Amino acid sequence: MKTHAYNPHVSVDCVLIGFNGESLKVLLTEQSETPNNKKGSGMKLPGRPIFDDEDLDEAAHKVLLEITGMNDPYLKQFKTFGAPDRTSNPDDLSWLEETTQVKMGRIVTIGYMSVIRITNKMNMNFQNHKVTWCPVQELPRLAFDHKNIIEEAIREIRRTSKLYPAILFELLPAKFTALELRRLYEVIYDKEMDVRNFHKKITAMPYVIALEEKQTNVAHRAARYYRFDKKTYNKLYGQY
């Protein structure tokens, strides 16, 4: 028989990274009001302590479904966070204990991450949930060590993309411009890219296909669209 008792020592936190064409964004949720009407003092990553009878991966997917309404993103377990002082803020700890009605001990959290394409449909679905996209460079006050978790997730994306560049195209629309792709590389690697050299870089990517289609209804010179060819990528480099 399932008891659904919270484990006072293990939690999961999910880092969802999106890209809006200009900057990286992370999905945050409010610290909800507790049964005793205590409201948390900041924002946080989607996450919670796991139940004693719950698998880690199961818990992470449940968190996303409960907090964001999303039930299909790919989640990668990327790091465990267990610093002794990660729950040392008394306001955060008090909020967590009142929310769960459990006396917490030292909590180790398992970090999960996903890179996803931000769409209008997704944002409309989020209107029914207390979540918001926040620029990674403009983070508000965050609960626990969630700022550190986000920073580590960005480093993980950077490391992974050097080996498997296909991951970056998960952040782009199906059709994208060279500018959008260059801007994504700039924010991921935190450095400016020379325009001419970057166009040469695109030409050297056999899995980036130039389309016979350009932007419409723009004030500037219409840019050509490109698309990511997953079949070509997998054939050349294997599945990612």
Side-chain angles (χ1 to χ4, degrees):
M1 180 178 179
K2 292 192 174 184
T3 59
H4 286 304
Y6 283 112
N7 187 299
H9 301 290
V10 182
S11 65
V12 294
D13 285 298
C14 301
V15 186
L16 273 68
I17 298 294
F19 178 66
N20 68 348
E22 285 294 327
S23 63
L24 290 180
K25 293 180 177 285
V26 61
L27 195 69
L28 299 177
T29 183
E30 296 179 10
Q31 285 182 287
S32 58
E33 195 170 279
T34 70
N36 296 324
N37 298 319
K38 178 179 176 63
K39 188 172 177 61
S41 58
M43 304 288 286
K44 63 185 287 293
L45 291 168
R48 60 164 170 76
I50 67 169
F51 293 121
D52 279 334
D53 57 0
E54 193 173 40
D55 177 82
L56 287 171
D57 291 353
E58 177 189 7
H61 281 93
K62 280 184 179 178
V63 161
L64 284 189
L65 183 60
E66 293 163 1
I67 297 179
T68 71
M70 299 174 67
N71 60 7
D72 58 351
Y74 166 76
L75 284 173
K76 174 186 177 182
Q77 190 181 120
F78 73 98
K79 188 171 181 177
T80 300
F81 298 84
D85 62 347
R86 63 175 306 271
T87 56
S88 60
N89 185 307
D91 290 336
D92 288 337
L93 186 58
S94 174
W95 172 84
L96 182 60
E97 291 182 339
E98 288 195 30
T99 300
T100 60
Q101 297 294 291
V102 172
K103 179 68 176 177
M104 292 292 163
R106 177 179 175 180
I107 305 174
V108 172
T109 197
I110 314 302
Y112 285 80
M113 59 168 281
S114 182
V115 292
I116 57 178
R117 187 174 299 142
I118 299 176
T119 65
N120 290 333
K121 181 180 179 181
M122 179 188 298
N123 288 334
M124 288 180 65
N125 289 339
F126 286 169
Q127 291 178 5
N128 298 321
H129 302 271
K130 293 182 179 179
V131 294
T132 185
W133 287 109
C134 180
V136 170
Q137 299 297 328
E138 302 173 17
L139 294 175
R141 187 268 177 192
L142 297 178
F144 308 108
D145 59 346
H146 289 188
K147 183 174 185 292
N148 177 49
I149 295 175
I150 292 169
E151 291 171 347
E152 187 57 43
I154 299 299
R155 286 191 285 269
E156 177 64 20
I157 293 172
R158 191 174 296 147
R159 287 190 293 264
T160 301
S161 65
K162 288 180 179 179
L163 297 173
Y164 307 102
I167 189 177
L168 298 181
F169 295 92
E170 298 292 334
L171 291 160
L172 291 167
K175 297 184 299 184
F176 53 86
T177 65
L179 175 60
E180 288 175 312
L181 182 57
R182 176 167 60 85
R183 182 59 187 151
L184 176 58
Y185 268 78
E186 288 178 337
V187 296
I188 290 291
Y189 294 107
D190 195 24
K191 64 179 181 180
E192 288 189 15
M193 303 277 181
D194 179 78
V195 175
R196 184 173 297 179
N197 287 339
F198 192 79
H199 274 275
K200 292 179 181 178
K201 183 180 181 73
I202 292 177
T203 303
M205 296 177 178
Y207 46 84
V208 176
I209 309 299
L211 302 177
E212 296 299 326
E213 184 179 352
K214 294 185 177 182
Q215 292 174 310
T216 58
N217 300 320
V218 291
H220 52 78
R221 181 181 177 183
R224 179 186 296 274
Y225 281 118
Y226 295 81
R227 70 174 178 86
F228 172 63
D229 189 328
K230 188 174 182 178
K231 287 185 178 180
T232 298
Y233 181 93
N234 289 343
K235 184 177 180 180
L236 292 173
Y237 306 104
Q239 292 190 349
Y240 66 97

